[in-house]
Amino acid sequence: MAKTPQGKRKPWVKNLYSNREYPDNYTDVSFLKDLQTNLHVRRYTLREALGGITVLNNQISCITGFLILYHVMLCDRIAPTSILVPTCIITAIGYLYYRGSSLTMIMLGEDSKTLVTVLLFGYIFSPMLHTLTQAISTDTIYTTTFFVMLFNLMFTDYGLDVAMVSKAISLNAAIFGAICLASRLSTSYHAFVLLVEAAIFFVLYPIMTAARWHPYCMVPIFVICCGALYFLSRPVLYLYACTTLFINFACPLIFVRQQHYKFNIHGPWDEAIVEENTEENLDENL
């Protein structure tokens, strides 16, 4: 293509068929005038990053505490009733604290009926659940339990609006893991107590912590789990302690320090984003 003086050429425009006098690989200086970098990027502080992993901490603590109770019941170190009664008392106290001043007699009656129904059906079906996976080998049971507990962590709602978040899958995975472990216990009453503990750890505890939680609550939970694991298994204690400390301190610190490497560019070349019409923005879009 023959070059012509810059002054005789038409000004370059963002239209492919209007720039015939320019080479195909020509880039005008005005092309990048609308370039924007790191648009809508939020910088998080270390305090915000530490508070953002609350749900993950709670889920790991739930799984750890539940497995500790299972190991205690498996070894028959403590009678099942000695485990059931204190946890029920603590759960009742937590329920009163959760409801607070909004608790009424009607609400208490409805919740009590739900509790009695769940306990009654759980006690009736505990012999069947105790023998449901009894024919499966112990190694297979433990491997399956490991993966379903991993699914519980993966599909838990961490406050992100993504497709893989599913409270139903997360809860069902945890309950299925409890049913698998129940078959390794000695009696159906042991299985009933284990399933009650699973409901407390994976159903009631997340509801309580989501409504009334403070980061300092993690300290006594961590100490109790470490104290129990000290007498049960030292390698598991080291694994739990290192994992918890890494998640609570190392991961937020790495996240905060790596934020300055974010570099997003935005400009006219971005794909158009079609905004969904809702009741709030319908008048504006019309």
PDB file of all heavy atoms in Angstrom, residues 47-62 153 156-159 205-206 208-218 221 244 247-248 252:
ATOM      1  N   ARG A  47      -7.602  -7.475  58.157  1.00  0.00           N
ATOM      2  CA  ARG A  47      -8.714  -7.732  59.068  1.00  0.00           C
ATOM      3  C   ARG A  47      -9.922  -8.294  58.305  1.00  0.00           C
ATOM      4  O   ARG A  47     -10.577  -9.235  58.767  1.00  0.00           O
ATOM      5  CB  ARG A  47      -9.098  -6.445  59.796  1.00  0.00           C
ATOM      6  CG  ARG A  47     -10.188  -6.619  60.847  1.00  0.00           C
ATOM      7  CD  ARG A  47     -10.569  -5.285  61.466  1.00  0.00           C
ATOM      8  NE  ARG A  47     -11.552  -5.441  62.516  1.00  0.00           N
ATOM      9  CZ  ARG A  47     -11.258  -5.659  63.781  1.00  0.00           C
ATOM     10  NH1 ARG A  47      -9.993  -5.739  64.154  1.00  0.00           N
ATOM     11  NH2 ARG A  47     -12.216  -5.789  64.674  1.00  0.00           N
ATOM     12  N   GLU A  48     -10.212  -7.713  57.135  1.00  0.00           N
ATOM     13  CA  GLU A  48     -11.327  -8.219  56.335  1.00  0.00           C
ATOM     14  C   GLU A  48     -11.047  -9.619  55.808  1.00  0.00           C
ATOM     15  O   GLU A  48     -11.944 -10.456  55.736  1.00  0.00           O
ATOM     16  CB  GLU A  48     -11.597  -7.267  55.172  1.00  0.00           C
ATOM     17  CG  GLU A  48     -12.143  -5.917  55.594  1.00  0.00           C
ATOM     18  CD  GLU A  48     -12.268  -4.963  54.429  1.00  0.00           C
ATOM     19  OE1 GLU A  48     -11.492  -5.123  53.458  1.00  0.00           O
ATOM     20  OE2 GLU A  48     -13.124  -4.067  54.481  1.00  0.00           O
ATOM     21  N   ALA A  49      -9.802  -9.885  55.440  1.00  0.00           N
ATOM     22  CA  ALA A  49      -9.449 -11.209  54.944  1.00  0.00           C
ATOM     23  C   ALA A  49      -9.553 -12.261  56.041  1.00  0.00           C
ATOM     24  O   ALA A  49      -9.988 -13.394  55.798  1.00  0.00           O
ATOM     25  CB  ALA A  49      -8.038 -11.194  54.363  1.00  0.00           C
ATOM     26  N   LEU A  50      -9.169 -11.885  57.254  1.00  0.00           N
ATOM     27  CA  LEU A  50      -9.283 -12.835  58.372  1.00  0.00           C
ATOM     28  C   LEU A  50     -10.736 -13.147  58.678  1.00  0.00           C
ATOM     29  O   LEU A  50     -11.075 -14.282  59.014  1.00  0.00           O
ATOM     30  CB  LEU A  50      -8.597 -12.256  59.610  1.00  0.00           C
ATOM     31  CG  LEU A  50      -7.073 -12.156  59.563  1.00  0.00           C
ATOM     32  CD1 LEU A  50      -6.547 -11.417  60.786  1.00  0.00           C
ATOM     33  CD2 LEU A  50      -6.437 -13.550  59.490  1.00  0.00           C
ATOM     34  N   GLY A  51     -11.611 -12.167  58.565  1.00  0.00           N
ATOM     35  CA  GLY A  51     -13.024 -12.400  58.830  1.00  0.00           C
ATOM     36  C   GLY A  51     -13.745 -13.106  57.708  1.00  0.00           C
ATOM     37  O   GLY A  51     -14.854 -13.614  57.909  1.00  0.00           O
ATOM     38  N   GLY A  52     -13.139 -13.176  56.527  1.00  0.00           N
ATOM     39  CA  GLY A  52     -13.801 -13.792  55.391  1.00  0.00           C
ATOM     40  C   GLY A  52     -13.728 -15.301  55.342  1.00  0.00           C
ATOM     41  O   GLY A  52     -14.347 -15.920  54.467  1.00  0.00           O
ATOM     42  N   ILE A  53     -12.971 -15.918  56.230  1.00  0.00           N
ATOM     43  CA  ILE A  53     -12.817 -17.370  56.215  1.00  0.00           C
ATOM     44  C   ILE A  53     -13.553 -18.011  57.389  1.00  0.00           C
ATOM     45  O   ILE A  53     -13.257 -19.134  57.779  1.00  0.00           O
ATOM     46  CB  ILE A  53     -11.329 -17.761  56.260  1.00  0.00           C
ATOM     47  CG1 ILE A  53     -10.639 -17.107  57.472  1.00  0.00           C
ATOM     48  CG2 ILE A  53     -10.623 -17.354  54.984  1.00  0.00           C
ATOM     49  CD1 ILE A  53      -9.207 -17.517  57.636  1.00  0.00           C
ATOM     50  N   THR A  54     -14.545 -17.300  57.915  1.00  0.00           N
ATOM     51  CA  THR A  54     -15.291 -17.812  59.058  1.00  0.00           C
ATOM     52  C   THR A  54     -16.012 -19.101  58.725  1.00  0.00           C
ATOM     53  O   THR A  54     -15.968 -20.074  59.497  1.00  0.00           O
ATOM     54  CB  THR A  54     -16.298 -16.760  59.544  1.00  0.00           C
ATOM     55  OG1 THR A  54     -15.586 -15.584  59.949  1.00  0.00           O
ATOM     56  CG2 THR A  54     -17.117 -17.286  60.701  1.00  0.00           C
ATOM     57  N   VAL A  55     -16.680 -19.146  57.582  1.00  0.00           N
ATOM     58  CA  VAL A  55     -17.470 -20.315  57.225  1.00  0.00           C
ATOM     59  C   VAL A  55     -16.580 -21.534  57.045  1.00  0.00           C
ATOM     60  O   VAL A  55     -16.917 -22.633  57.492  1.00  0.00           O
ATOM     61  CB  VAL A  55     -18.276 -20.042  55.940  1.00  0.00           C
ATOM     62  CG1 VAL A  55     -19.096 -21.262  55.549  1.00  0.00           C
ATOM     63  CG2 VAL A  55     -19.187 -18.842  56.142  1.00  0.00           C
ATOM     64  N   LEU A  56     -15.430 -21.352  56.406  1.00  0.00           N
ATOM     65  CA  LEU A  56     -14.508 -22.477  56.221  1.00  0.00           C
ATOM     66  C   LEU A  56     -14.002 -22.995  57.555  1.00  0.00           C
ATOM     67  O   LEU A  56     -13.906 -24.208  57.775  1.00  0.00           O
ATOM     68  CB  LEU A  56     -13.344 -22.042  55.336  1.00  0.00           C
ATOM     69  CG  LEU A  56     -12.275 -23.109  55.046  1.00  0.00           C
ATOM     70  CD1 LEU A  56     -12.905 -24.310  54.353  1.00  0.00           C
ATOM     71  CD2 LEU A  56     -11.155 -22.527  54.199  1.00  0.00           C
ATOM     72  N   ASN A  57     -13.686 -22.082  58.470  1.00  0.00           N
ATOM     73  CA  ASN A  57     -13.266 -22.499  59.807  1.00  0.00           C
ATOM     74  C   ASN A  57     -14.353 -23.298  60.508  1.00  0.00           C
ATOM     75  O   ASN A  57     -14.087 -24.320  61.148  1.00  0.00           O
ATOM     76  CB  ASN A  57     -12.902 -21.275  60.649  1.00  0.00           C
ATOM     77  CG  ASN A  57     -11.501 -20.777  60.371  1.00  0.00           C
ATOM     78  OD1 ASN A  57     -10.603 -21.562  60.128  1.00  0.00           O
ATOM     79  ND2 ASN A  57     -11.316 -19.482  60.390  1.00  0.00           N
ATOM     80  N   ASN A  58     -15.589 -22.825  60.396  1.00  0.00           N
ATOM     81  CA  ASN A  58     -16.692 -23.520  61.049  1.00  0.00           C
ATOM     82  C   ASN A  58     -16.898 -24.913  60.470  1.00  0.00           C
ATOM     83  O   ASN A  58     -17.157 -25.872  61.209  1.00  0.00           O
ATOM     84  CB  ASN A  58     -17.972 -22.695  60.921  1.00  0.00           C
ATOM     85  CG  ASN A  58     -17.923 -21.432  61.750  1.00  0.00           C
ATOM     86  OD1 ASN A  58     -17.208 -21.356  62.742  1.00  0.00           O
ATOM     87  ND2 ASN A  58     -18.670 -20.432  61.339  1.00  0.00           N
ATOM     88  N   GLN A  59     -16.797 -25.049  59.152  1.00  0.00           N
ATOM     89  CA  GLN A  59     -16.996 -26.355  58.540  1.00  0.00           C
ATOM     90  C   GLN A  59     -15.900 -27.329  58.944  1.00  0.00           C
ATOM     91  O   GLN A  59     -16.164 -28.500  59.242  1.00  0.00           O
ATOM     92  CB  GLN A  59     -17.035 -26.218  57.016  1.00  0.00           C
ATOM     93  CG  GLN A  59     -18.284 -25.534  56.486  1.00  0.00           C
ATOM     94  CD  GLN A  59     -19.547 -26.290  56.857  1.00  0.00           C
ATOM     95  OE1 GLN A  59     -20.393 -25.775  57.591  1.00  0.00           O
ATOM     96  NE2 GLN A  59     -19.695 -27.491  56.359  1.00  0.00           N
ATOM     97  N   ILE A  60     -14.666 -26.868  58.965  1.00  0.00           N
ATOM     98  CA  ILE A  60     -13.562 -27.741  59.387  1.00  0.00           C
ATOM     99  C   ILE A  60     -13.728 -28.125  60.851  1.00  0.00           C
ATOM    100  O   ILE A  60     -13.492 -29.280  61.233  1.00  0.00           O
ATOM    101  CB  ILE A  60     -12.216 -27.039  59.147  1.00  0.00           C
ATOM    102  CG1 ILE A  60     -11.987 -26.838  57.642  1.00  0.00           C
ATOM    103  CG2 ILE A  60     -11.072 -27.831  59.753  1.00  0.00           C
ATOM    104  CD1 ILE A  60     -10.721 -26.096  57.310  1.00  0.00           C
ATOM    105  N   SER A  61     -14.153 -27.191  61.685  1.00  0.00           N
ATOM    106  CA  SER A  61     -14.371 -27.502  63.100  1.00  0.00           C
ATOM    107  C   SER A  61     -15.515 -28.483  63.280  1.00  0.00           C
ATOM    108  O   SER A  61     -15.444 -29.381  64.128  1.00  0.00           O
ATOM    109  CB  SER A  61     -14.667 -26.208  63.871  1.00  0.00           C
ATOM    110  OG  SER A  61     -13.591 -25.303  63.767  1.00  0.00           O
ATOM    111  N   CYS A  62     -16.577 -28.340  62.475  1.00  0.00           N
ATOM    112  CA  CYS A  62     -17.703 -29.283  62.544  1.00  0.00           C
ATOM    113  C   CYS A  62     -17.259 -30.693  62.208  1.00  0.00           C
ATOM    114  O   CYS A  62     -17.573 -31.653  62.924  1.00  0.00           O
ATOM    115  CB  CYS A  62     -18.814 -28.842  61.600  1.00  0.00           C
ATOM    116  SG  CYS A  62     -19.772 -27.426  62.165  1.00  0.00           S
ATOM    117  N   LEU A 153     -17.329 -29.700  52.207  1.00  0.00           N
ATOM    118  CA  LEU A 153     -16.532 -28.475  52.201  1.00  0.00           C
ATOM    119  C   LEU A 153     -16.625 -27.745  50.864  1.00  0.00           C
ATOM    120  O   LEU A 153     -16.668 -26.515  50.815  1.00  0.00           O
ATOM    121  CB  LEU A 153     -15.067 -28.803  52.502  1.00  0.00           C
ATOM    122  CG  LEU A 153     -14.725 -29.227  53.931  1.00  0.00           C
ATOM    123  CD1 LEU A 153     -13.258 -29.607  54.017  1.00  0.00           C
ATOM    124  CD2 LEU A 153     -15.040 -28.121  54.918  1.00  0.00           C
ATOM    125  N   THR A 156     -20.306 -26.015  50.280  1.00  0.00           N
ATOM    126  CA  THR A 156     -20.826 -25.139  51.324  1.00  0.00           C
ATOM    127  C   THR A 156     -20.941 -23.706  50.809  1.00  0.00           C
ATOM    128  O   THR A 156     -20.136 -23.259  49.990  1.00  0.00           O
ATOM    129  CB  THR A 156     -19.910 -25.185  52.562  1.00  0.00           C
ATOM    130  OG1 THR A 156     -19.876 -26.516  53.074  1.00  0.00           O
ATOM    131  CG2 THR A 156     -20.409 -24.259  53.648  1.00  0.00           C
ATOM    132  N   ASP A 157     -21.930 -23.007  51.295  1.00  0.00           N
ATOM    133  CA  ASP A 157     -22.140 -21.615  50.913  1.00  0.00           C
ATOM    134  C   ASP A 157     -21.157 -20.734  51.683  1.00  0.00           C
ATOM    135  O   ASP A 157     -21.303 -20.514  52.879  1.00  0.00           O
ATOM    136  CB  ASP A 157     -23.587 -21.193  51.213  1.00  0.00           C
ATOM    137  CG  ASP A 157     -23.886 -19.792  50.702  1.00  0.00           C
ATOM    138  OD1 ASP A 157     -23.020 -19.206  50.019  1.00  0.00           O
ATOM    139  OD2 ASP A 157     -24.985 -19.285  50.980  1.00  0.00           O
ATOM    140  N   TYR A 158     -20.147 -20.226  50.969  1.00  0.00           N
ATOM    141  CA  TYR A 158     -19.157 -19.350  51.583  1.00  0.00           C
ATOM    142  C   TYR A 158     -19.452 -17.876  51.329  1.00  0.00           C
ATOM    143  O   TYR A 158     -18.576 -17.029  51.488  1.00  0.00           O
ATOM    144  CB  TYR A 158     -17.761 -19.687  51.051  1.00  0.00           C
ATOM    145  CG  TYR A 158     -17.283 -21.064  51.446  1.00  0.00           C
ATOM    146  CD1 TYR A 158     -17.305 -22.115  50.539  1.00  0.00           C
ATOM    147  CD2 TYR A 158     -16.819 -21.317  52.731  1.00  0.00           C
ATOM    148  CE1 TYR A 158     -16.879 -23.374  50.893  1.00  0.00           C
ATOM    149  CE2 TYR A 158     -16.379 -22.579  53.102  1.00  0.00           C
ATOM    150  CZ  TYR A 158     -16.408 -23.597  52.180  1.00  0.00           C
ATOM    151  OH  TYR A 158     -15.987 -24.860  52.541  1.00  0.00           O
ATOM    152  N   GLY A 159     -20.677 -17.591  50.904  1.00  0.00           N
ATOM    153  CA  GLY A 159     -21.055 -16.214  50.631  1.00  0.00           C
ATOM    154  C   GLY A 159     -20.800 -15.783  49.201  1.00  0.00           C
ATOM    155  O   GLY A 159     -20.923 -14.592  48.894  1.00  0.00           O
ATOM    156  N   TYR A 205     -25.571 -26.065  64.091  1.00  0.00           N
ATOM    157  CA  TYR A 205     -24.386 -25.249  64.349  1.00  0.00           C
ATOM    158  C   TYR A 205     -24.138 -24.203  63.262  1.00  0.00           C
ATOM    159  O   TYR A 205     -23.856 -23.034  63.570  1.00  0.00           O
ATOM    160  CB  TYR A 205     -23.171 -26.152  64.522  1.00  0.00           C
ATOM    161  CG  TYR A 205     -21.886 -25.409  64.790  1.00  0.00           C
ATOM    162  CD1 TYR A 205     -21.626 -24.851  66.036  1.00  0.00           C
ATOM    163  CD2 TYR A 205     -20.921 -25.275  63.794  1.00  0.00           C
ATOM    164  CE1 TYR A 205     -20.441 -24.169  66.271  1.00  0.00           C
ATOM    165  CE2 TYR A 205     -19.750 -24.591  64.029  1.00  0.00           C
ATOM    166  CZ  TYR A 205     -19.513 -24.045  65.264  1.00  0.00           C
ATOM    167  OH  TYR A 205     -18.342 -23.363  65.494  1.00  0.00           O
ATOM    168  N   PRO A 206     -24.230 -24.543  61.949  1.00  0.00           N
ATOM    169  CA  PRO A 206     -24.044 -23.497  60.926  1.00  0.00           C
ATOM    170  C   PRO A 206     -25.091 -22.388  60.999  1.00  0.00           C
ATOM    171  O   PRO A 206     -24.780 -21.223  60.731  1.00  0.00           O
ATOM    172  CB  PRO A 206     -24.143 -24.278  59.605  1.00  0.00           C
ATOM    173  CG  PRO A 206     -23.765 -25.674  59.953  1.00  0.00           C
ATOM    174  CD  PRO A 206     -24.296 -25.892  61.330  1.00  0.00           C
ATOM    175  N   MET A 208     -26.558 -21.315  63.710  1.00  0.00           N
ATOM    176  CA  MET A 208     -26.212 -20.506  64.868  1.00  0.00           C
ATOM    177  C   MET A 208     -25.024 -19.586  64.572  1.00  0.00           C
ATOM    178  O   MET A 208     -25.049 -18.385  64.879  1.00  0.00           O
ATOM    179  CB  MET A 208     -25.882 -21.443  66.041  1.00  0.00           C
ATOM    180  CG  MET A 208     -25.360 -20.754  67.276  1.00  0.00           C
ATOM    181  SD  MET A 208     -26.608 -19.721  68.063  1.00  0.00           S
ATOM    182  CE  MET A 208     -25.631 -19.003  69.383  1.00  0.00           C
ATOM    183  N   THR A 209     -23.992 -20.131  63.960  1.00  0.00           N
ATOM    184  CA  THR A 209     -22.796 -19.329  63.693  1.00  0.00           C
ATOM    185  C   THR A 209     -23.038 -18.280  62.615  1.00  0.00           C
ATOM    186  O   THR A 209     -22.397 -17.224  62.610  1.00  0.00           O
ATOM    187  CB  THR A 209     -21.635 -20.237  63.270  1.00  0.00           C
ATOM    188  OG1 THR A 209     -22.043 -21.060  62.162  1.00  0.00           O
ATOM    189  CG2 THR A 209     -21.213 -21.124  64.429  1.00  0.00           C
ATOM    190  N   ALA A 210     -23.954 -18.568  61.681  1.00  0.00           N
ATOM    191  CA  ALA A 210     -24.245 -17.578  60.641  1.00  0.00           C
ATOM    192  C   ALA A 210     -24.934 -16.350  61.212  1.00  0.00           C
ATOM    193  O   ALA A 210     -24.778 -15.235  60.691  1.00  0.00           O
ATOM    194  CB  ALA A 210     -25.113 -18.207  59.549  1.00  0.00           C
ATOM    195  N   ALA A 211     -25.712 -16.545  62.286  1.00  0.00           N
ATOM    196  CA  ALA A 211     -26.446 -15.432  62.877  1.00  0.00           C
ATOM    197  C   ALA A 211     -25.660 -14.717  63.969  1.00  0.00           C
ATOM    198  O   ALA A 211     -25.676 -13.484  64.044  1.00  0.00           O
ATOM    199  CB  ALA A 211     -27.780 -15.928  63.431  1.00  0.00           C
ATOM    200  N   ARG A 212     -24.988 -15.465  64.793  1.00  0.00           N
ATOM    201  CA  ARG A 212     -24.289 -14.877  65.945  1.00  0.00           C
ATOM    202  C   ARG A 212     -22.904 -15.517  66.061  1.00  0.00           C
ATOM    203  O   ARG A 212     -22.734 -16.558  66.689  1.00  0.00           O
ATOM    204  CB  ARG A 212     -25.084 -15.093  67.234  1.00  0.00           C
ATOM    205  CG  ARG A 212     -26.503 -14.515  67.183  1.00  0.00           C
ATOM    206  CD  ARG A 212     -27.245 -14.779  68.466  1.00  0.00           C
ATOM    207  NE  ARG A 212     -28.607 -14.288  68.421  1.00  0.00           N
ATOM    208  CZ  ARG A 212     -28.978 -13.052  68.739  1.00  0.00           C
ATOM    209  NH1 ARG A 212     -28.050 -12.195  69.125  1.00  0.00           N
ATOM    210  NH2 ARG A 212     -30.239 -12.675  68.686  1.00  0.00           N
ATOM    211  N   TRP A 213     -21.949 -14.861  65.442  1.00  0.00           N
ATOM    212  CA  TRP A 213     -20.597 -15.393  65.449  1.00  0.00           C
ATOM    213  C   TRP A 213     -19.600 -14.262  65.599  1.00  0.00           C
ATOM    214  O   TRP A 213     -19.770 -13.180  65.055  1.00  0.00           O
ATOM    215  CB  TRP A 213     -20.314 -16.167  64.155  1.00  0.00           C
ATOM    216  CG  TRP A 213     -18.885 -16.615  64.023  1.00  0.00           C
ATOM    217  CD1 TRP A 213     -17.897 -16.000  63.305  1.00  0.00           C
ATOM    218  CD2 TRP A 213     -18.283 -17.746  64.632  1.00  0.00           C
ATOM    219  NE1 TRP A 213     -16.715 -16.686  63.435  1.00  0.00           N
ATOM    220  CE2 TRP A 213     -16.919 -17.764  64.243  1.00  0.00           C
ATOM    221  CE3 TRP A 213     -18.759 -18.756  65.471  1.00  0.00           C
ATOM    222  CZ2 TRP A 213     -16.048 -18.748  64.658  1.00  0.00           C
ATOM    223  CZ3 TRP A 213     -17.879 -19.740  65.889  1.00  0.00           C
ATOM    224  CH2 TRP A 213     -16.542 -19.734  65.485  1.00  0.00           C
ATOM    225  N   HIS A 214     -18.557 -14.547  66.341  1.00  0.00           N
ATOM    226  CA  HIS A 214     -17.459 -13.608  66.503  1.00  0.00           C
ATOM    227  C   HIS A 214     -16.163 -14.377  66.257  1.00  0.00           C
ATOM    228  O   HIS A 214     -16.041 -15.531  66.674  1.00  0.00           O
ATOM    229  CB  HIS A 214     -17.452 -12.999  67.907  1.00  0.00           C
ATOM    230  CG  HIS A 214     -16.585 -11.789  68.018  1.00  0.00           C
ATOM    231  ND1 HIS A 214     -15.217 -11.873  68.198  1.00  0.00           N
ATOM    232  CD2 HIS A 214     -16.867 -10.464  67.943  1.00  0.00           C
ATOM    233  CE1 HIS A 214     -14.698 -10.658  68.246  1.00  0.00           C
ATOM    234  NE2 HIS A 214     -15.686  -9.781  68.092  1.00  0.00           N
ATOM    235  N   PRO A 215     -15.196 -13.780  65.575  1.00  0.00           N
ATOM    236  CA  PRO A 215     -13.953 -14.513  65.289  1.00  0.00           C
ATOM    237  C   PRO A 215     -13.263 -15.070  66.521  1.00  0.00           C
ATOM    238  O   PRO A 215     -12.579 -16.106  66.441  1.00  0.00           O
ATOM    239  CB  PRO A 215     -13.087 -13.451  64.587  1.00  0.00           C
ATOM    240  CG  PRO A 215     -14.060 -12.513  63.972  1.00  0.00           C
ATOM    241  CD  PRO A 215     -15.238 -12.471  64.910  1.00  0.00           C
ATOM    242  N   TYR A 216     -13.442 -14.423  67.676  1.00  0.00           N
ATOM    243  CA  TYR A 216     -12.793 -14.921  68.885  1.00  0.00           C
ATOM    244  C   TYR A 216     -13.398 -16.242  69.362  1.00  0.00           C
ATOM    245  O   TYR A 216     -12.796 -16.947  70.183  1.00  0.00           O
ATOM    246  CB  TYR A 216     -12.884 -13.882  70.003  1.00  0.00           C
ATOM    247  CG  TYR A 216     -12.049 -12.654  69.739  1.00  0.00           C
ATOM    248  CD1 TYR A 216     -12.651 -11.416  69.550  1.00  0.00           C
ATOM    249  CD2 TYR A 216     -10.664 -12.727  69.676  1.00  0.00           C
ATOM    250  CE1 TYR A 216     -11.897 -10.281  69.299  1.00  0.00           C
ATOM    251  CE2 TYR A 216      -9.903 -11.604  69.421  1.00  0.00           C
ATOM    252  CZ  TYR A 216     -10.520 -10.385  69.237  1.00  0.00           C
ATOM    253  OH  TYR A 216      -9.763  -9.265  68.979  1.00  0.00           O
ATOM    254  N   CYS A 217     -14.584 -16.583  68.865  1.00  0.00           N
ATOM    255  CA  CYS A 217     -15.191 -17.869  69.232  1.00  0.00           C
ATOM    256  C   CYS A 217     -14.380 -19.042  68.700  1.00  0.00           C
ATOM    257  O   CYS A 217     -14.525 -20.168  69.180  1.00  0.00           O
ATOM    258  CB  CYS A 217     -16.623 -17.946  68.712  1.00  0.00           C
ATOM    259  SG  CYS A 217     -17.752 -16.725  69.409  1.00  0.00           S
ATOM    260  N   MET A 218     -13.546 -18.776  67.694  1.00  0.00           N
ATOM    261  CA  MET A 218     -12.737 -19.844  67.127  1.00  0.00           C
ATOM    262  C   MET A 218     -11.657 -20.310  68.082  1.00  0.00           C
ATOM    263  O   MET A 218     -11.205 -21.462  68.001  1.00  0.00           O
ATOM    264  CB  MET A 218     -12.102 -19.351  65.819  1.00  0.00           C
ATOM    265  CG  MET A 218     -11.417 -20.418  64.997  1.00  0.00           C
ATOM    266  SD  MET A 218     -12.579 -21.707  64.488  1.00  0.00           S
ATOM    267  CE  MET A 218     -11.427 -23.035  64.107  1.00  0.00           C
ATOM    268  N   ILE A 221     -12.927 -23.169  70.447  1.00  0.00           N
ATOM    269  CA  ILE A 221     -13.190 -24.342  69.613  1.00  0.00           C
ATOM    270  C   ILE A 221     -11.879 -25.005  69.204  1.00  0.00           C
ATOM    271  O   ILE A 221     -11.735 -26.239  69.248  1.00  0.00           O
ATOM    272  CB  ILE A 221     -14.018 -23.941  68.381  1.00  0.00           C
ATOM    273  CG1 ILE A 221     -15.394 -23.439  68.806  1.00  0.00           C
ATOM    274  CG2 ILE A 221     -14.154 -25.105  67.401  1.00  0.00           C
ATOM    275  CD1 ILE A 221     -16.234 -22.916  67.665  1.00  0.00           C
ATOM    276  N   THR A 244      -5.418 -25.497  60.368  1.00  0.00           N
ATOM    277  CA  THR A 244      -6.177 -24.361  60.899  1.00  0.00           C
ATOM    278  C   THR A 244      -5.335 -23.093  60.929  1.00  0.00           C
ATOM    279  O   THR A 244      -5.803 -22.013  60.531  1.00  0.00           O
ATOM    280  CB  THR A 244      -6.692 -24.681  62.304  1.00  0.00           C
ATOM    281  OG1 THR A 244      -7.478 -25.883  62.265  1.00  0.00           O
ATOM    282  CG2 THR A 244      -7.546 -23.544  62.844  1.00  0.00           C
ATOM    283  N   ILE A 247      -4.789 -21.817  57.322  1.00  0.00           N
ATOM    284  CA  ILE A 247      -5.983 -21.196  56.737  1.00  0.00           C
ATOM    285  C   ILE A 247      -6.278 -19.849  57.390  1.00  0.00           C
ATOM    286  O   ILE A 247      -6.671 -18.886  56.714  1.00  0.00           O
ATOM    287  CB  ILE A 247      -7.183 -22.149  56.872  1.00  0.00           C
ATOM    288  CG1 ILE A 247      -6.974 -23.371  55.985  1.00  0.00           C
ATOM    289  CG2 ILE A 247      -8.493 -21.444  56.517  1.00  0.00           C
ATOM    290  CD1 ILE A 247      -8.061 -24.414  56.135  1.00  0.00           C
ATOM    291  N   ASN A 248      -6.065 -19.748  58.690  1.00  0.00           N
ATOM    292  CA  ASN A 248      -6.449 -18.538  59.420  1.00  0.00           C
ATOM    293  C   ASN A 248      -5.444 -17.413  59.297  1.00  0.00           C
ATOM    294  O   ASN A 248      -5.836 -16.241  59.394  1.00  0.00           O
ATOM    295  CB  ASN A 248      -6.649 -18.874  60.899  1.00  0.00           C
ATOM    296  CG  ASN A 248      -7.988 -19.515  61.175  1.00  0.00           C
ATOM    297  OD1 ASN A 248      -8.986 -18.842  61.365  1.00  0.00           O
ATOM    298  ND2 ASN A 248      -8.026 -20.834  61.177  1.00  0.00           N
ATOM    299  N   PRO A 252      -4.834 -15.638  54.491  1.00  0.00           N
ATOM    300  CA  PRO A 252      -5.196 -14.208  54.385  1.00  0.00           C
ATOM    301  C   PRO A 252      -3.997 -13.294  54.142  1.00  0.00           C
ATOM    302  O   PRO A 252      -4.110 -12.316  53.396  1.00  0.00           O
ATOM    303  CB  PRO A 252      -5.846 -13.920  55.754  1.00  0.00           C
ATOM    304  CG  PRO A 252      -6.323 -15.242  56.232  1.00  0.00           C
ATOM    305  CD  PRO A 252      -5.315 -16.228  55.748  1.00  0.00           C
TER     306      PRO A 252
END
